Structures are given as structure tokens and as C-alpha cells.
Amino acid sequence: MLSFTHIALAGALCLAWAGGAAAQQAPQAQEGGPAGASEPLVVNGCPIWPYTRCPGADLRHANLVGKNLAGADLRGADLTRADLRGANLSAADLEGANLTGARMSKASAANTDFKNARFIGTDLESARLMRSDFSGAIFDGASLEMARLNHAWFVGTRFISSDLQEAKFVATNLTNAVFEGNHILYTLVSESELGGCKGCRPDWR
């Protein structure tokens, strides 16, 4: 006859075995099921995903490294000191946005609306900005080193004390643009519209 001690020991062993089996199965269920899906990032009420609609959003100091914001409506958004390194802003609307101190190196922003945006101390090194509209924008103390700006519009845009080294302004519209005190070593400007441009070098024409 089994004693009470033997029965208790057998029960404990069964519970231990069941718990171990459940623990082994739990990770698989988490990886394959909805519980394993990562939650979307939301910053001050603005969901961070493609085609989001957040005009006037407060995204100051937001960590948006590598995020996909293609087609997003961020008109008038405050992105002061936001980290957008490697982010995708293609075809987004950032008209009037404040990008002061933002980090945008290697960001992709082709066909993007940046009209009247502020790039004060902004880092745009090696950013891909082709076919975007920067009309009326201001670059003050910004870095556009090695940025690709082909076919972009800069009508009335101001470039003040900015680093334009090796930036490529190919087939751009620089009508009435202003260049003052910039670093323009190896800056490439070709096939561009320069009517009324102030500070444009003679060899750019």
C-alpha cells in the first residue's frame, strides 16, 4: 500500500513535469501568436506608421530611427531634436514643420513636401531628398554634406552658414534662392534653374 508520502511525492513530480512542458511550449505560442506582435509606437497621440495623419503633432525629441513614415501628414509638426536617422519620409507632407536640431542623416525623403520648413542645425548628411519641394524653407547651420538633392525645388529657399560639401544639386530649381556663408567645397550644381539666385557661384550657371 502506498503511503501518504509516496502519493504526495508522485503528485509533486507530475506537477513539475507539467510545468516544464508548458514552459517549453510558451515561447513558441508567443512567437507565432498575436501576443508576440510588437505594439505600434505612439508619440503624444500620433501613431508612427505609414500614411499616419498627425498635422501639428508634438514629436519633439522623439526616437524615430529607421521608422517608416512614408506618405505621413505631418504638416506643421514640431520635430525639434527628433531622431530620424535612416527614417523613410518619402511622399510625406511636412510643410511648415519645425526640424530644428533634428537628426536626419541617411533619411529617405524623396517626393516629400518640405515647403516653409525650418532646418536649423539639422543634420541631413547623406540624406536622399530627390524630387522634394523645399520652397520657402530655411537651412541655417544645417548639414547637407553628401545629400542627394536631384530634381528638388528650392524656390526662395535660404541656405545660411550651412555645410553643403559634396551635396548634389542636379537639375534643381533654385529660383530666388539665397546662399550666404556656406561651406561649398565640391558642391555640385548643374543643369539647374538659377534665376534671381543670390550668392550662387558664377560657375554654377
Side-chain angles (χ1 to χ4, degrees):
M1 180 180 295
L2 294 173
S3 67
F4 176 80
T5 303
H6 288 118
I7 294 173
L9 180 59
L13 289 172
C14 289
L15 288 173
W17 178 86
Q24 290 178 354
Q25 293 175 0
Q28 296 178 354
Q30 187 175 8
E31 290 174 5
S38 60
E39 293 293 330
L41 176 64
V42 178
V43 180
N44 289 333
C46 178
I48 306 301
W49 55 45
Y51 302 99
T52 191
R53 293 291 175 261
C54 299
D58 181 0
L59 299 174
R60 290 173 294 175
H61 304 276
N63 183 358
L64 304 174
V65 175
K67 296 300 182 183
N68 186 359
L69 285 161
D73 182 355
L74 296 170
R75 291 170 295 166
D78 191 348
L79 288 145
T80 300
R81 297 191 181 280
D83 195 340
L84 290 152
R85 288 175 295 167
N88 182 7
L89 293 164
S90 298
D93 188 347
L94 286 101
E95 182 175 358
N98 184 2
L99 291 147
T100 298
R103 303 174 69 185
M104 299 178 66
S105 59
K106 298 184 179 179
S108 295
N111 298 297
T112 302
D113 188 346
F114 287 111
K115 291 193 296 289
N116 301 312
R118 284 175 286 171
F119 298 91
I120 301 173
T122 308
D123 180 10
L124 290 145
E125 182 177 343
S126 300
R128 296 179 290 278
L129 307 167
M130 298 80 73
R131 299 179 298 280
S132 292
D133 191 348
F134 294 90
S135 297
I138 180 169
F139 294 87
D140 190 341
S143 173
L144 285 156
E145 184 175 347
M146 295 187 291
R148 296 171 60 185
L149 304 155
N150 301 8
H151 303 284
W153 281 57
F154 298 97
V155 178
T157 304
R158 299 179 64 196
F159 297 90
I160 311 298
S161 303
S162 293
D163 183 0
L164 307 179
Q165 179 172 322
E166 297 188 62
K168 295 173 177 61
F169 293 84
V170 178
T172 57
N173 188 338
L174 290 162
T175 302
N176 297 325
V178 176
F179 288 82
E180 294 180 2
N182 302 294
H183 182 51
I184 53 175
L185 181 66
Y186 302 125
T187 302
L188 175 62
V189 180
S190 64
E191 305 173 37
S192 295
E193 173 58 52
L194 303 175
C197 178
K198 298 179 181 178
C200 283
R201 289 174 40 156
D203 59 341
W204 289 355
R205 301 183 183 276

